[in-house]
Amino acid sequence: MRDTAARRRADNLQEVGENPQEISERDSYHQLYTDDIAKYDAAEQNLYFGRLDMTDGTESPGAQDTVRRIGRIGVLDDDEDLSTLLLDWRAPLARPFYLATPAQPEGVRVRRHVRTRGRELVNVIDERLTLTDGAAAATDGPGTNVAGESALVDALNRARTGHMTDIVETIQREQDTIIRSEHRGVLVVQGGPGTGKTAVALHRAAYLLYTYRQNLSRTGVLIVGPNETFLTYISQVLPSLGETGVLLSTVGDLFPGVIATLPDSAAAARLKGSTDMVEVMKQAVRGWQTVPDEPIELRFDGYPLVLDKKIATRARGRARSSRRPHNTARAIFRQSALDALAAQHAATIGSSVVDNTMLLSRTDISDIRDELAQDREVLGALDALWPALTPQRVLTELWSDEDRLADASPGLSDADRAVLRRELATDANGKPAFSPADAPLLDEIAEFLGDDDADADEAERQWRERLEEAQEALDILTGSAPQDLDDEFDAEILMAYDLIDAEQLAERQTVRDFNTTADRAREDRTWTFGHVIIDEAQELSAMAWRMLMRRSPNRWMTLVGDTAQTGDAAGLTSWGEALDPYVPGRFQLSELTVNYRTPKEIMDLAADVLAEIDPGLAPPTSVRSGAEPPRLLRADGGGPALVETVRAALPEDEDRLTAVLAPSDLVAPLRRLTARNVRVMGVRDAKGLEFDHVVVVEPGLIVGEPAEVEFDRGLRDLYVALTRATQTLTVVTSGSLPRAMRALESA
């Protein structure tokens, strides 16, 4: 088999007239042009969206404006001097497009907004920011605070499609400041509903990739969202900005090989999210490091051999005192036990001093130990006491084995253990299934386990095998060369080994990896990212923060969220609560205060709910007003009557996206609604999303019983539900409204 592989390598080497440098260059250009094609394809829609006519700062007759054309990505003219056709929106020269207002024109005379559909020009809006005599231009409405007001309002009033669109054409000053922040630590962006937190985070990712391309293209950017629905919603934003190499993930899917789908009760999620789980996971691993209660009798080389508690306890002590992770300390346990067993066997066959003569030397005992290390029965017994483990195995058996859970968690009550206990569940592929709250625990266990040395040994074996085959291929080519050449010409004839050595040949036969940085990072649990962005960061548990901080050792992160919207039982209500263990007092807080999504009429109702949550919290200021006020519909009883009332509440405008947000128990019955462009979901699944029209069903049930609700969790969910709409809001109930919504009854 090896001879055949070597001959195949030799044939390939003869047929392909490329040297290693040419191969490397070809692969580099392949990757470069593949990335460029993907970038231009993704950014083509509305590629050119803006123009700036800049004044020269003088009033001299005949002075010419400097024109800057702004695009989603930079484009150079294919001429000798490579002049700029389009200025990338992230370039410093493009910044006045976002900062200029009539009050602060930033040297801009005219700002033009261009909208296209494919290659068709759809709309052009010109804003004159300075008059020809140098005075500031007049403006209507809130023009001194909102840059590109008419273009912004046009974008806000567009129908939603179910996918988030970028805001590259309408970025506002407070958003731009955050997007381009030079802070190299943890930047927290606190903002109420509709303030554009997510859009700012995504555009910041694009900006950082542009500004720090060399570093971040190698280390990657990780964006973490609350659920798969949210990730699908934002998935088109970065590609539309020419960035395709970012890893999007939920916390539940961040552990390689695990797709977390199992549901958890609120009590289980809270327990799993607590840092008390660190010690539980540590003890769960140590629980696999056992000693026998009764001696284990073995046979080796025809003689009895006893693996007793004393030998195992001493070996376990040495392995644990090494402070190495479980899987790497396993070799120390095995070596210590083998030393003791080898000495025992030597004693059995006569290694004592007889007539002042040592029957077995140290070399003999070493040989015995080496033979024991190859004995299947002996190794099987040792592996049973200190097995190689995976995080998945440890956690599934912890949750399903009552005794293991009790041993690992002496600090938990019986009631808490009952909440955590569950039977073994599997996914569609027969693999163990996990919940999103399990993923940080798997990651914690992986830290205690470390890597199995067997994986590294296998990789080394495969490389040596390829190296041997490559050398044999070169030997075949050398042996097939003509042997009767004149000596004077020998030095001028290049042989295969003159052009390439065995190591280079083995390397070129390796399958080339053209995966993106994001693809490689997804499969590597130990990958550390250059920058990490977390959306809805207030929902993360303390254990999830530990997991994410491991992936950001440089602590260069952008966190966006709103502590007033925390809905997860293990979530936080203050940023210091999460960050002080990692960057005590060293994170920078920025706030977004303008609500671009929710009209004032709807936000006034939501503000009453916010005041109930915390009177000290101020709602964001809505940039739009004049919308239809929220309306209330009452259903006569639940069941079919409720469904029909919700059906009647659906807007006639089927071209726009409508969401029906309901308590989790009512989601399934309401999915009988089959109208076009209607999405029925629980409130948690709608977090971070927006819709043209929203129907909120049974707000009293969303809030729940106050005695059962932790930190007003239900009120926070209601606040989220009421702030998803860009156009209209309808509330349907068969019971009484929560106190914070009583104003709706008198409307």
Side-chain angles (χ1 to χ4, degrees):
M1 290 291 291
R2 179 166 292 172
D3 181 66
T4 301
R7 290 187 179 278
R8 187 182 306 116
R9 291 178 188 270
D11 292 342
N12 289 341
L13 189 59
Q14 286 180 319
E15 291 174 4
V16 181
E18 296 173 304
N19 62 41
Q21 180 177 346
E22 290 172 336
I23 294 170
S24 177
E25 290 177 353
R26 180 196 64 194
D27 291 344
S28 296
Y29 279 115
H30 176 278
Q31 187 69 58
L32 174 65
Y33 292 134
T34 298
D35 291 345
D36 279 350
I37 290 171
K39 178 175 67 175
Y40 288 124
D41 283 347
E44 182 180 11
Q45 179 65 26
N46 219 36
L47 175 63
Y48 165 44
F49 63 82
R51 167 176 154 160
L52 294 174
D53 292 355
M54 309 293 297
T55 64
D56 63 0
T58 70
E59 301 180 15
S60 58
Q64 296 294 315
D65 288 344
T66 300
V67 174
R68 301 176 190 173
R69 293 178 176 84
I70 317 296
R72 295 176 181 280
I73 56 177
V75 178
L76 300 178
D77 195 359
D78 190 16
D79 55 16
E80 291 185 1
D81 61 356
L82 294 177
S83 59
T84 301
L85 289 177
L86 277 183
L87 193 63
D88 193 296
W89 67 274
R90 296 164 286 191
L93 287 176
R95 199 174 188 192
F97 188 82
Y98 304 110
L99 299 184
T101 64
Q104 295 178 286
E106 304 284 341
V108 178
R109 187 174 66 83
V110 177
R111 174 172 48 210
R112 170 169 292 180
H113 297 268
V114 180
R115 181 162 177 77
T116 61
R117 184 180 297 112
R119 302 299 175 90
E120 177 186 356
L121 179 64
V122 176
N123 192 22
V124 174
I125 300 174
D126 279 350
E127 297 176 277
R128 294 189 174 275
L129 302 184
T130 58
L131 299 177
T132 54
D133 62 359
T139 180
D140 296 326
T144 56
N145 298 317
V146 178
E149 181 189 354
S150 57
L152 174 64
V153 172
D154 178 64
L156 295 176
N157 285 327
R158 264 177 232 146
R160 269 44 193 170
T161 64
H163 285 280
M164 185 179 182
T165 57
D166 62 71
I167 60 167
V168 67
E169 306 162 44
T170 57
I171 295 171
Q172 298 300 303
R173 180 182 288 267
E174 70 171 3
Q175 297 172 327
D176 185 81
T177 300
I178 294 170
I179 289 170
R180 299 176 193 260
S181 171
E182 296 182 0
H183 184 63
R184 291 299 295 261
V186 176
L187 175 64
V188 178
V189 183
Q190 164 76 32
T195 54
K197 300 182 298 294
T198 299
V200 166
L202 295 174
H203 287 69
R204 176 160 171 76
Y207 172 77
L208 293 177
L209 283 164
Y210 173 84
T211 307
Y212 304 98
R213 178 74 62 189
Q214 185 173 0
N215 178 29
L216 293 182
S217 62
R218 176 172 47 85
T219 57
V221 173
L222 169 66
I223 296 180
V224 178
N227 52 56
E228 285 297 330
T229 303
F230 178 84
L231 294 183
T232 300
Y233 173 66
I234 69 171
S235 61
Q236 296 179 4
V237 175
L238 283 168
S240 74
L241 300 174
E243 302 296 344
T244 57
V246 174
L247 176 60
L248 303 180
S249 180
T250 64
V251 168
D253 296 343
L254 198 54
F255 190 87
V258 170
I259 304 298
T261 56
L262 283 183
D264 263 328
S265 67
R270 184 183 64 254
L271 283 170
K272 291 179 180 181
S274 166
T275 52
D276 292 342
M277 287 294 109
V278 175
E279 184 62 23
V280 174
M281 296 305 110
K282 178 181 179 180
Q283 295 304 322
V285 171
R286 289 170 71 94
W288 289 86
Q289 302 165 1
T290 58
V291 297
D293 293 327
E294 300 293 334
I296 300 173
E297 296 184 359
L298 306 168
R299 299 289 295 182
F300 174 69
D301 201 21
Y303 292 90
L305 199 63
V306 178
L307 176 57
D308 59 19
K309 187 173 185 178
K310 181 179 179 181
I311 292 174
T313 300
R314 179 176 297 176
R316 184 175 69 175
R318 289 180 177 175
R320 285 180 173 177
S321 64
S322 72
R323 298 185 179 276
R324 295 184 183 180
H326 173 94
N327 283 336
T328 51
R330 182 166 159 259
I332 299 174
F333 173 84
R334 181 185 288 182
Q335 189 63 47
S336 177
L338 289 174
D339 286 343
L341 292 174
Q344 182 188 128
H345 182 67
T348 300
I349 63 176
S351 65
S352 60
V353 178
V354 177
D355 297 331
N356 295 323
T357 302
M358 180 68 71
L359 298 181
L360 294 178
S361 66
R362 289 184 178 180
T363 301
D364 294 329
I365 296 176
S366 178
D367 290 341
I368 291 172
R369 185 177 58 241
D370 292 343
E371 291 177 17
L372 282 169
Q374 304 299 319
D375 188 279
R376 291 187 177 181
E377 184 182 8
V378 172
L379 292 181
L382 295 178
D383 288 347
L385 297 176
W386 193 297
L389 296 171
T390 65
Q392 291 89 327
R393 181 182 179 187
V394 172
L395 196 61
T396 52
E397 298 211 22
L398 178 67
W399 293 154
S400 60
D401 189 320
E402 189 172 351
D403 292 335
R404 283 194 183 278
L405 182 56
D407 290 342
S409 58
L412 297 183
S413 67
D414 290 340
D416 285 342
R417 292 192 199 101
V419 168
L420 293 172
R421 280 263 296 121
R422 71 164 182 247
E423 296 302 319
L424 177 64
T426 57
D427 60 20
N429 298 317
K431 295 181 179 180
F434 299 97
S435 70
D438 286 331
L441 305 185
L442 290 169
D443 203 63
E444 197 72 34
I445 293 170
E447 291 292 304
F448 290 124
L449 292 182
D451 296 323
D452 192 346
D453 290 339
D455 295 337
D457 292 343
E458 176 62 16
E460 178 67 17
R461 185 194 65 76
Q462 292 178 2
W463 168 248
R464 291 189 178 280
E465 186 175 289
R466 288 199 303 271
L467 201 60
E468 290 176 19
E469 291 174 0
Q471 185 60 59
E472 290 176 17
L474 290 174
D475 292 342
I476 291 171
L477 287 174
T478 302
S480 64
Q483 302 298 315
D484 55 352
L485 297 173
D486 294 337
D487 290 342
E488 65 179 286
F489 296 108
D490 286 353
E492 299 179 11
I493 296 177
L494 294 177
M495 307 298 290
Y497 51 76
D498 293 318
L499 301 173
I500 189 170
D501 60 23
E503 189 167 331
Q504 290 171 321
L505 179 57
E507 177 63 29
R508 68 173 289 183
Q509 294 296 324
T510 304
V511 176
R512 298 285 172 179
D513 181 10
F514 290 111
N515 287 340
T516 65
T517 299
D519 292 331
R520 297 195 300 274
R522 186 183 300 277
E523 302 303 321
D524 185 354
R525 190 194 72 83
T526 62
W527 190 281
T528 56
F529 293 86
H531 194 79
V532 174
I533 293 175
I534 306 174
D535 206 328
E536 302 293 346
Q538 77 279 355
E539 301 295 336
L540 297 186
S541 69
M543 291 302 294
W545 282 111
R546 288 176 63 87
M547 182 184 193
L548 287 164
M549 288 297 177
R550 290 189 192 105
R551 285 150 177 79
S552 181
N554 64 359
R555 302 294 190 260
W556 191 19
M557 311 174 82
T558 302
L559 316 177
V560 299
D562 180 13
T563 53
Q565 297 184 61
T566 303
D568 194 283
L572 58 89
T573 54
S574 75
W575 295 112
E577 176 187 341
L579 298 176
D580 281 345
Y582 307 99
V583 286
R586 300 199 308 274
F587 62 89
Q588 178 176 305
L589 179 65
S590 297
E591 292 194 61
L592 294 171
T593 59
V594 179
N595 186 337
Y596 302 98
R597 175 201 303 145
T598 317
K600 181 180 183 301
E601 289 73 14
I602 297 176
M603 198 61 213
D604 286 345
L605 177 63
D608 292 340
V609 177
L610 180 63
E612 187 87 3
I613 296 170
D614 185 345
L617 296 175
T621 303
S622 294
V623 77
R624 293 183 298 151
S625 62
E628 179 181 331
R631 61 173 180 154
L632 173 66
L633 293 180
R634 292 197 173 275
D636 296 329
L642 180 66
V643 174
E644 289 308 311
T645 304
V646 173
R647 190 189 306 278
L650 297 179
E652 297 179 358
D653 184 5
E654 293 189 353
D655 291 332
R656 288 183 175 265
L657 193 60
T658 297
V660 176
L661 306 181
S664 56
D665 292 344
L666 294 179
V667 169
L670 288 169
R671 283 196 172 139
R672 301 173 198 162
L673 302 169
T674 57
R676 185 163 66 90
N677 268 349
V678 173
R679 311 281 174 84
V680 179
M681 61 181 69
V683 177
R684 302 283 170 80
D685 293 330
K687 188 161 296 225
L689 310 185
E690 65 180 21
F691 308 89
D692 296 296
H693 309 288
V694 170
V695 179
V696 176
V697 182
E698 298 290 18
L701 296 181
I702 292 175
V703 171
E705 294 295 329
E708 300 174 0
V709 179
E710 302 170 32
F711 62 84
D712 299 318
R713 183 176 165 211
L715 278 172
R716 295 168 190 267
D717 285 347
L718 180 59
Y719 182 58
V720 170
L722 296 176
T723 54
R724 298 304 97 194
T726 67
Q727 303 296 326
T728 68
L729 171 68
T730 302
V731 176
V732 175
T733 183
S734 60
S736 60
L737 290 174
R739 181 178 58 185
M741 295 182 65
R742 296 289 167 80
L744 192 58
E745 293 180 323
S746 58

